C-alpha cells in the first residue's frame, strides 16, 4: 500500500472521522485506505459523482468505508 493512498484517504475524511481513523493502528489505516480505493473503483454511483466533484466522491467513499465498514471495519 502506498502511503499516498493513505494520505489521500485521510484527507477525504471529515475532520471527525479523520481523528478517529488516525488513532487506529497503521495497519488498520492502510486496510481502510485499500477498502476506500476499492469502493471508489467498484461503485457506479460514485463514478457519476466523480464526474461532478472528484473530492465529493472521495469523501463519500471514505465515509462509507469508516461508517459502514466496507472492507475495512474495526478489528
Amino acid at each position: 500500500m502506498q502511503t499516498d493512498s493513505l494520505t489521500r484517504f485521510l484527507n477525504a475524511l471529515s475532520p471527525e472521522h479523520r481523528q478517529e481513523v488516525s488513532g487506529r493502528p497503521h495497519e488498520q489505516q492502510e486496510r481502510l485506505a485499500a477498502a476506500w480505493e476499492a469502493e471508489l473503483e467498484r461503485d457506479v454511483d460514485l463514478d457519476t459523482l466523480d464526474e461532478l466533484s472528484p473530492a465529493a466522491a472521495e469523501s463519500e467513499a471514505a465515509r462509507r468505508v469508516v461508517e459502514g465498514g466496507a472492507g475495512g471495519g474495526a478489528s
Side-chain angles (χ1 to χ4, degrees):
M1 167 73 48
Q2 294 181 3
T3 302
D4 186 55
S5 292
L6 178 55
T7 300
R8 286 181 49 232
F9 169 64
L10 291 171
N11 287 334
L13 290 168
S14 68
E16 176 182 293
H17 285 133
R18 186 177 310 121
Q19 182 177 9
E20 179 209 336
V21 171
S22 293
R24 295 182 182 187
H26 187 73
E27 296 78 20
Q28 188 178 22
Q29 291 178 30
E30 288 186 340
R31 283 193 305 272
L32 287 168
W36 172 71
E37 290 280 358
E39 181 77 5
L40 285 170
E41 288 178 15
R42 82 172 154 257
D43 192 300
V44 180
D45 292 334
L46 289 174
D47 287 342
T48 303
L49 182 58
D50 186 53
E51 290 179 17
L52 300 172
S53 174
E58 289 184 352
S59 181
E60 174 61 16
R63 183 194 63 77
R64 290 179 186 181
V65 167
V66 172
E67 290 183 359
S75 312

